[in-house]
Amino acid sequence: MLRGSVYLFILMVCLFSIGVIADGNANVPLVSVPSFSITSAGEESNELNAGAITAEQNSDPAVRATNKISAGDSLFIGENHLDVSSALGTAGSIAWWQSGNEGNVTPDVVLPISSPQVFFVDPVFFVLKTGEWYQWIGNQKGALAFTIHDPSLSLKILDISNDEDVTGKDIKRDDFGTFVIETNLYPALNRTGYLPSDSRFKITMTDPAGDSEDFLVGSFGKVHPLNQLQVDKPLWYWIGLLDDHSVPDINDGWNTSATDLNETLIYKPGVYKFRAECNLNDMKDNYKAPDGSDYTNKTVSIAQTVTLVDDAVLIDANPKQVVPGESFVTTITGSPNTEYYLWMKGTSFMSGQPGDQPPVITPGQENVTHDATPGPFIIGNYVFSAGAGKTIRDDVPHDSVYNGTQFYGMVKLDSTGQKSVLWNTSAATKSTSYTPSIERKTDAGYVADTCTVTVDSTMPVNIMAAGTQPFHRGNSVSLSGKNSVSDITYLFMTGTGLPASGGSLGSPLTPVLSDVPSGFDSAMVSDNDTWAYNWVVPQSVPCDGTFTLYAASMPKNLTDIGEASSGSVPVVISSPGNTTSINLVSGWNFISAPYVLADGNNTMAIFSGVNSSGHSVLSYNGSSSSWVTMKADDLFYPLHGFWIYSVSPVEIPLTSGNGTITPRTLEKGWNCIGILSPDRTAGSVLGPLGSLWSYLVGYDASVQQYTAPLVEGSPSVDSTMLHVKEGSWIYIKENTPFSG
């Protein structure tokens, strides 16, 4: 089989600049911070100094039809060596009107074109000036010259045999795979004189061995190329029905069971990586992310993976979180009437003794077998994949009663390819996260899957505080939570000036005593294990600041809280008129109001003394995907993010007010947000959004760079802190309310 050179694939490129990670075509709005300067339309001259901004390069044009531009053609940021002579006609300049200003006689920008045969769609200049550009002749608007677009490019992998999106998932042997490219670059194929050999679209591939491919084998041994793809539609299928690439051919594509002349499988089990690219007129080389990498979702797609398996197996747990003493079920889905090894993976570090052992498989289940306690260990001596030669018995603890045999077993699936296995926990089970694992070795390799179950004695009780913080004395605050342990939830609080072991909610200076229920505020637990309590913040709270509210299953104070199941939540209490500040650094700052500000201190006028070097204060409109220039009388309101430039460090005082906040609606796509006081983990802030968000990106003003992106579902979401007064970008899948 022919093999090309090895390509390096980047699974996730930094979002910095920002515009990189997305769902489909939902690119992050390109923020000119800190790489480019942002100004409002009124802050630019109507005619640009050609020496100040390079919009053309004087090198030899590429000899191909795609660089011949006719009037009305679509151009893309990063294209170089374009011959725009025909599009210009007799004009020596082109003109552009910002959105909303199209009716003005005077354009927002006029660009002289001195060398129309080598025009360069320079990212530095055109990234904020996409849209229609007109001929400009003698200070008069002429015909449409061309339209400039920010490129977009994404790739999905489909199991066409089952009409299933398998991007990042498994594809079974014998199924046909195909690719769907979604892009706005397709009009390039309609340029005058275009030939199929002019295409710069391709799909790069890396197989499990690290080798690359220029083609894939399809039905009946047909070779399908991955280069010079004729992507002529916004949604384009790699193998189309006849010549129509808007409809996939369900009987052809990547034949995962293709064999060579020796009847050897060509495609081995494992992870395959694919990425779509387009280097139309060198655009991929010219249009780079700020860190110098290829611009993901613009000139290259995110590198996507698919795992080829001989017989896929899946395992899932329900429930995924239990307390000691509760049971859970693992449901296995695989090949009918087939046996699989099941064990609690990675638990050999435990002693197996009470208090330090994993969950056990409930004995006596049909089609679940175990080794005998004294041996022989026919099941336990199985050498599992990626274990460096370890057997199952090497991977589980050995207790004094069952010799470890209850921590693993052999499971036979039924005629439908399923089996549910019951596991037990008890006081002997250690509170931690576990990984039930299922596996079988085949002639072509291993098929395996894992899931996660958490045993946690501290989680059955929690507490939430609804409303806008900071809370003022006399405010009514709705407290609520769950308690699956006891019929009564006991409440108390701690903080500066309060008793060390905690004070009651109603009288914070009065200490609560363990095992004295009458000293605690309490709430009855309903039949569905939830509780609620209306708390009026006492006037006796001794000072402003952050306090911690506790909910416990027993009347235990902070000293003895470990004896009960409990949860806690921080709250900020302040007096109206309390003053804090935002400290701007030199350069761009991404900021947000931490709470409702007092009248007279709640508009953009508070930034009027900032030396912004002519830059506007900006916000972002998610519904129209456009920047908004803020005026002095516009509100500086919570839950929104704002960009402000400062030549030097400056402190901006903020004064809290008494107003309430209505949750804002986050629009599908990218939004600038801020959070309400206090600082919290991203998990606690974004938890109410469920899975309706995809990515969140912060900004570190001290180094003028974006922070590492948070991805929905990642464990880091629960450990990463979000800070008040700092803005963030968030990508939303569907319109949803947000309360910060």
Side-chain angles (χ1 to χ4, degrees), residues 405-425:
T405 56
Q406 79 274 38
F407 303 132
Y408 66 89
M410 178 73 81
V411 179
K412 184 177 181 180
L413 307 193
D414 62 19
S415 59
T416 67
Q418 285 198 330
K419 174 62 181 175
S420 293
V421 179
L422 181 67
W423 298 72
N424 290 338
T425 69

PDB file of all heavy atoms in Angstrom, residues 405-425:
ATOM      1  N   THR A 405     -11.265 -12.358  44.210  1.00  0.00           N
ATOM      2  CA  THR A 405     -12.043 -12.883  43.077  1.00  0.00           C
ATOM      3  C   THR A 405     -13.380 -12.182  42.887  1.00  0.00           C
ATOM      4  O   THR A 405     -14.001 -12.309  41.822  1.00  0.00           O
ATOM      5  CB  THR A 405     -12.296 -14.393  43.264  1.00  0.00           C
ATOM      6  OG1 THR A 405     -12.950 -14.601  44.527  1.00  0.00           O
ATOM      7  CG2 THR A 405     -10.983 -15.158  43.250  1.00  0.00           C
ATOM      8  N   GLN A 406     -13.867 -11.462  43.908  1.00  0.00           N
ATOM      9  CA  GLN A 406     -15.146 -10.757  43.753  1.00  0.00           C
ATOM     10  C   GLN A 406     -14.978  -9.404  43.069  1.00  0.00           C
ATOM     11  O   GLN A 406     -15.965  -8.727  42.775  1.00  0.00           O
ATOM     12  CB  GLN A 406     -15.840 -10.568  45.112  1.00  0.00           C
ATOM     13  CG  GLN A 406     -15.294  -9.436  45.962  1.00  0.00           C
ATOM     14  CD  GLN A 406     -14.107  -9.861  46.812  1.00  0.00           C
ATOM     15  OE1 GLN A 406     -13.261 -10.651  46.382  1.00  0.00           O
ATOM     16  NE2 GLN A 406     -14.029  -9.329  48.011  1.00  0.00           N
ATOM     17  N   PHE A 407     -13.724  -9.008  42.784  1.00  0.00           N
ATOM     18  CA  PHE A 407     -13.483  -7.728  42.121  1.00  0.00           C
ATOM     19  C   PHE A 407     -13.409  -7.873  40.596  1.00  0.00           C
ATOM     20  O   PHE A 407     -13.182  -6.892  39.893  1.00  0.00           O
ATOM     21  CB  PHE A 407     -12.189  -7.093  42.632  1.00  0.00           C
ATOM     22  CG  PHE A 407     -12.151  -6.891  44.120  1.00  0.00           C
ATOM     23  CD1 PHE A 407     -11.053  -7.295  44.863  1.00  0.00           C
ATOM     24  CD2 PHE A 407     -13.228  -6.324  44.782  1.00  0.00           C
ATOM     25  CE1 PHE A 407     -11.015  -7.123  46.245  1.00  0.00           C
ATOM     26  CE2 PHE A 407     -13.207  -6.140  46.163  1.00  0.00           C
ATOM     27  CZ  PHE A 407     -12.096  -6.552  46.894  1.00  0.00           C
ATOM     28  N   TYR A 408     -13.564  -9.101  40.085  1.00  0.00           N
ATOM     29  CA  TYR A 408     -13.515  -9.319  38.639  1.00  0.00           C
ATOM     30  C   TYR A 408     -14.361 -10.537  38.281  1.00  0.00           C
ATOM     31  O   TYR A 408     -14.773 -11.313  39.150  1.00  0.00           O
ATOM     32  CB  TYR A 408     -12.076  -9.503  38.149  1.00  0.00           C
ATOM     33  CG  TYR A 408     -11.377 -10.751  38.648  1.00  0.00           C
ATOM     34  CD1 TYR A 408     -11.461 -11.951  37.941  1.00  0.00           C
ATOM     35  CD2 TYR A 408     -10.638 -10.748  39.835  1.00  0.00           C
ATOM     36  CE1 TYR A 408     -10.816 -13.101  38.384  1.00  0.00           C
ATOM     37  CE2 TYR A 408      -9.993 -11.889  40.295  1.00  0.00           C
ATOM     38  CZ  TYR A 408     -10.087 -13.067  39.564  1.00  0.00           C
ATOM     39  OH  TYR A 408      -9.467 -14.200  40.016  1.00  0.00           O
ATOM     40  N   GLY A 409     -14.631 -10.724  36.986  1.00  0.00           N
ATOM     41  CA  GLY A 409     -15.395 -11.872  36.540  1.00  0.00           C
ATOM     42  C   GLY A 409     -15.453 -11.957  35.022  1.00  0.00           C
ATOM     43  O   GLY A 409     -14.931 -11.096  34.302  1.00  0.00           O
ATOM     44  N   MET A 410     -16.080 -13.018  34.535  1.00  0.00           N
ATOM     45  CA  MET A 410     -16.316 -13.211  33.098  1.00  0.00           C
ATOM     46  C   MET A 410     -17.814 -13.061  32.850  1.00  0.00           C
ATOM     47  O   MET A 410     -18.634 -13.683  33.539  1.00  0.00           O
ATOM     48  CB  MET A 410     -15.863 -14.599  32.660  1.00  0.00           C
ATOM     49  CG  MET A 410     -16.106 -14.895  31.197  1.00  0.00           C
ATOM     50  SD  MET A 410     -14.970 -14.010  30.110  1.00  0.00           S
ATOM     51  CE  MET A 410     -13.532 -15.083  30.246  1.00  0.00           C
ATOM     52  N   VAL A 411     -18.165 -12.202  31.875  1.00  0.00           N
ATOM     53  CA  VAL A 411     -19.561 -11.879  31.587  1.00  0.00           C
ATOM     54  C   VAL A 411     -19.904 -12.349  30.179  1.00  0.00           C
ATOM     55  O   VAL A 411     -19.177 -12.038  29.221  1.00  0.00           O
ATOM     56  CB  VAL A 411     -19.807 -10.361  31.708  1.00  0.00           C
ATOM     57  CG1 VAL A 411     -21.254 -10.039  31.373  1.00  0.00           C
ATOM     58  CG2 VAL A 411     -19.452  -9.866  33.099  1.00  0.00           C
ATOM     59  N   LYS A 412     -20.991 -13.082  30.040  1.00  0.00           N
ATOM     60  CA  LYS A 412     -21.468 -13.500  28.723  1.00  0.00           C
ATOM     61  C   LYS A 412     -22.702 -12.689  28.358  1.00  0.00           C
ATOM     62  O   LYS A 412     -23.676 -12.639  29.117  1.00  0.00           O
ATOM     63  CB  LYS A 412     -21.800 -14.991  28.707  1.00  0.00           C
ATOM     64  CG  LYS A 412     -22.216 -15.485  27.326  1.00  0.00           C
ATOM     65  CD  LYS A 412     -22.469 -16.990  27.327  1.00  0.00           C
ATOM     66  CE  LYS A 412     -22.865 -17.467  25.926  1.00  0.00           C
ATOM     67  NZ  LYS A 412     -23.108 -18.938  25.886  1.00  0.00           N
ATOM     68  N   LEU A 413     -22.662 -12.039  27.196  1.00  0.00           N
ATOM     69  CA  LEU A 413     -23.784 -11.219  26.749  1.00  0.00           C
ATOM     70  C   LEU A 413     -24.888 -12.102  26.181  1.00  0.00           C
ATOM     71  O   LEU A 413     -24.650 -13.229  25.742  1.00  0.00           O
ATOM     72  CB  LEU A 413     -23.320 -10.212  25.701  1.00  0.00           C
ATOM     73  CG  LEU A 413     -22.131  -9.316  26.070  1.00  0.00           C
ATOM     74  CD1 LEU A 413     -22.001  -8.181  25.071  1.00  0.00           C
ATOM     75  CD2 LEU A 413     -22.263  -8.778  27.489  1.00  0.00           C
ATOM     76  N   ASP A 414     -26.117 -11.578  26.167  1.00  0.00           N
ATOM     77  CA  ASP A 414     -27.241 -12.357  25.671  1.00  0.00           C
ATOM     78  C   ASP A 414     -27.339 -12.254  24.153  1.00  0.00           C
ATOM     79  O   ASP A 414     -26.457 -11.698  23.488  1.00  0.00           O
ATOM     80  CB  ASP A 414     -28.546 -11.916  26.345  1.00  0.00           C
ATOM     81  CG  ASP A 414     -28.894 -10.459  26.064  1.00  0.00           C
ATOM     82  OD1 ASP A 414     -28.367  -9.879  25.094  1.00  0.00           O
ATOM     83  OD2 ASP A 414     -29.691  -9.886  26.833  1.00  0.00           O
ATOM     84  N   SER A 415     -28.415 -12.784  23.595  1.00  0.00           N
ATOM     85  CA  SER A 415     -28.568 -12.826  22.137  1.00  0.00           C
ATOM     86  C   SER A 415     -28.734 -11.447  21.519  1.00  0.00           C
ATOM     87  O   SER A 415     -28.588 -11.282  20.313  1.00  0.00           O
ATOM     88  CB  SER A 415     -29.768 -13.704  21.764  1.00  0.00           C
ATOM     89  OG  SER A 415     -30.957 -13.194  22.354  1.00  0.00           O
ATOM     90  N   THR A 416     -29.039 -10.436  22.354  1.00  0.00           N
ATOM     91  CA  THR A 416     -29.144  -9.060  21.840  1.00  0.00           C
ATOM     92  C   THR A 416     -27.837  -8.295  22.001  1.00  0.00           C
ATOM     93  O   THR A 416     -27.752  -7.122  21.625  1.00  0.00           O
ATOM     94  CB  THR A 416     -30.271  -8.293  22.558  1.00  0.00           C
ATOM     95  OG1 THR A 416     -29.913  -8.099  23.937  1.00  0.00           O
ATOM     96  CG2 THR A 416     -31.580  -9.037  22.463  1.00  0.00           C
ATOM     97  N   GLY A 417     -26.835  -8.941  22.611  1.00  0.00           N
ATOM     98  CA  GLY A 417     -25.553  -8.278  22.806  1.00  0.00           C
ATOM     99  C   GLY A 417     -25.518  -7.391  24.026  1.00  0.00           C
ATOM    100  O   GLY A 417     -24.755  -6.411  24.049  1.00  0.00           O
ATOM    101  N   GLN A 418     -26.302  -7.706  25.071  1.00  0.00           N
ATOM    102  CA  GLN A 418     -26.310  -6.884  26.276  1.00  0.00           C
ATOM    103  C   GLN A 418     -26.275  -7.746  27.527  1.00  0.00           C
ATOM    104  O   GLN A 418     -26.661  -8.918  27.523  1.00  0.00           O
ATOM    105  CB  GLN A 418     -27.548  -5.984  26.314  1.00  0.00           C
ATOM    106  CG  GLN A 418     -27.481  -4.793  25.378  1.00  0.00           C
ATOM    107  CD  GLN A 418     -28.489  -3.727  25.757  1.00  0.00           C
ATOM    108  OE1 GLN A 418     -29.545  -4.011  26.293  1.00  0.00           O
ATOM    109  NE2 GLN A 418     -28.143  -2.478  25.492  1.00  0.00           N
ATOM    110  N   LYS A 419     -25.801  -7.142  28.614  1.00  0.00           N
ATOM    111  CA  LYS A 419     -25.835  -7.772  29.928  1.00  0.00           C
ATOM    112  C   LYS A 419     -25.661  -6.694  30.982  1.00  0.00           C
ATOM    113  O   LYS A 419     -24.769  -5.844  30.889  1.00  0.00           O
ATOM    114  CB  LYS A 419     -24.717  -8.812  30.068  1.00  0.00           C
ATOM    115  CG  LYS A 419     -24.588  -9.417  31.463  1.00  0.00           C
ATOM    116  CD  LYS A 419     -25.840 -10.183  31.883  1.00  0.00           C
ATOM    117  CE  LYS A 419     -25.689 -10.753  33.294  1.00  0.00           C
ATOM    118  NZ  LYS A 419     -26.945 -11.396  33.764  1.00  0.00           N
ATOM    119  N   SER A 420     -26.515  -6.710  32.009  1.00  0.00           N
ATOM    120  CA  SER A 420     -26.405  -5.794  33.138  1.00  0.00           C
ATOM    121  C   SER A 420     -25.826  -6.546  34.325  1.00  0.00           C
ATOM    122  O   SER A 420     -26.306  -7.637  34.672  1.00  0.00           O
ATOM    123  CB  SER A 420     -27.773  -5.204  33.495  1.00  0.00           C
ATOM    124  OG  SER A 420     -28.237  -4.365  32.456  1.00  0.00           O
ATOM    125  N   VAL A 421     -24.805  -5.952  34.948  1.00  0.00           N
ATOM    126  CA  VAL A 421     -24.119  -6.579  36.077  1.00  0.00           C
ATOM    127  C   VAL A 421     -24.273  -5.685  37.297  1.00  0.00           C
ATOM    128  O   VAL A 421     -23.975  -4.488  37.243  1.00  0.00           O
ATOM    129  CB  VAL A 421     -22.629  -6.803  35.764  1.00  0.00           C
ATOM    130  CG1 VAL A 421     -21.923  -7.427  36.967  1.00  0.00           C
ATOM    131  CG2 VAL A 421     -22.473  -7.687  34.532  1.00  0.00           C
ATOM    132  N   LEU A 422     -24.732  -6.264  38.413  1.00  0.00           N
ATOM    133  CA  LEU A 422     -24.958  -5.529  39.652  1.00  0.00           C
ATOM    134  C   LEU A 422     -23.701  -5.553  40.516  1.00  0.00           C
ATOM    135  O   LEU A 422     -23.071  -6.601  40.689  1.00  0.00           O
ATOM    136  CB  LEU A 422     -26.126  -6.134  40.418  1.00  0.00           C
ATOM    137  CG  LEU A 422     -26.517  -5.454  41.733  1.00  0.00           C
ATOM    138  CD1 LEU A 422     -27.081  -4.056  41.469  1.00  0.00           C
ATOM    139  CD2 LEU A 422     -27.537  -6.314  42.486  1.00  0.00           C
ATOM    140  N   TRP A 423     -23.325  -4.367  41.055  1.00  0.00           N
ATOM    141  CA  TRP A 423     -22.194  -4.230  41.971  1.00  0.00           C
ATOM    142  C   TRP A 423     -22.719  -3.733  43.314  1.00  0.00           C
ATOM    143  O   TRP A 423     -23.681  -2.954  43.366  1.00  0.00           O
ATOM    144  CB  TRP A 423     -21.180  -3.216  41.449  1.00  0.00           C
ATOM    145  CG  TRP A 423     -20.525  -3.550  40.141  1.00  0.00           C
ATOM    146  CD1 TRP A 423     -21.102  -3.525  38.907  1.00  0.00           C
ATOM    147  CD2 TRP A 423     -19.169  -3.933  39.946  1.00  0.00           C
ATOM    148  NE1 TRP A 423     -20.182  -3.865  37.935  1.00  0.00           N
ATOM    149  CE2 TRP A 423     -18.972  -4.119  38.551  1.00  0.00           C
ATOM    150  CE3 TRP A 423     -18.085  -4.130  40.808  1.00  0.00           C
ATOM    151  CZ2 TRP A 423     -17.750  -4.494  38.003  1.00  0.00           C
ATOM    152  CZ3 TRP A 423     -16.851  -4.506  40.266  1.00  0.00           C
ATOM    153  CH2 TRP A 423     -16.695  -4.686  38.881  1.00  0.00           C
ATOM    154  N   ASN A 424     -22.066  -4.138  44.397  1.00  0.00           N
ATOM    155  CA  ASN A 424     -22.430  -3.697  45.739  1.00  0.00           C
ATOM    156  C   ASN A 424     -21.324  -2.842  46.352  1.00  0.00           C
ATOM    157  O   ASN A 424     -20.132  -3.077  46.103  1.00  0.00           O
ATOM    158  CB  ASN A 424     -22.672  -4.900  46.668  1.00  0.00           C
ATOM    159  CG  ASN A 424     -23.933  -5.658  46.310  1.00  0.00           C
ATOM    160  OD1 ASN A 424     -24.832  -5.118  45.680  1.00  0.00           O
ATOM    161  ND2 ASN A 424     -23.996  -6.916  46.710  1.00  0.00           N
ATOM    162  N   THR A 425     -21.718  -1.858  47.153  1.00  0.00           N
ATOM    163  CA  THR A 425     -20.781  -1.124  47.999  1.00  0.00           C
ATOM    164  C   THR A 425     -21.245  -1.267  49.443  1.00  0.00           C
ATOM    165  O   THR A 425     -22.396  -1.638  49.707  1.00  0.00           O
ATOM    166  CB  THR A 425     -20.705   0.367  47.632  1.00  0.00           C
ATOM    167  OG1 THR A 425     -21.947   1.012  47.985  1.00  0.00           O
ATOM    168  CG2 THR A 425     -20.444   0.571  46.157  1.00  0.00           C
TER     169      THR A 425
END
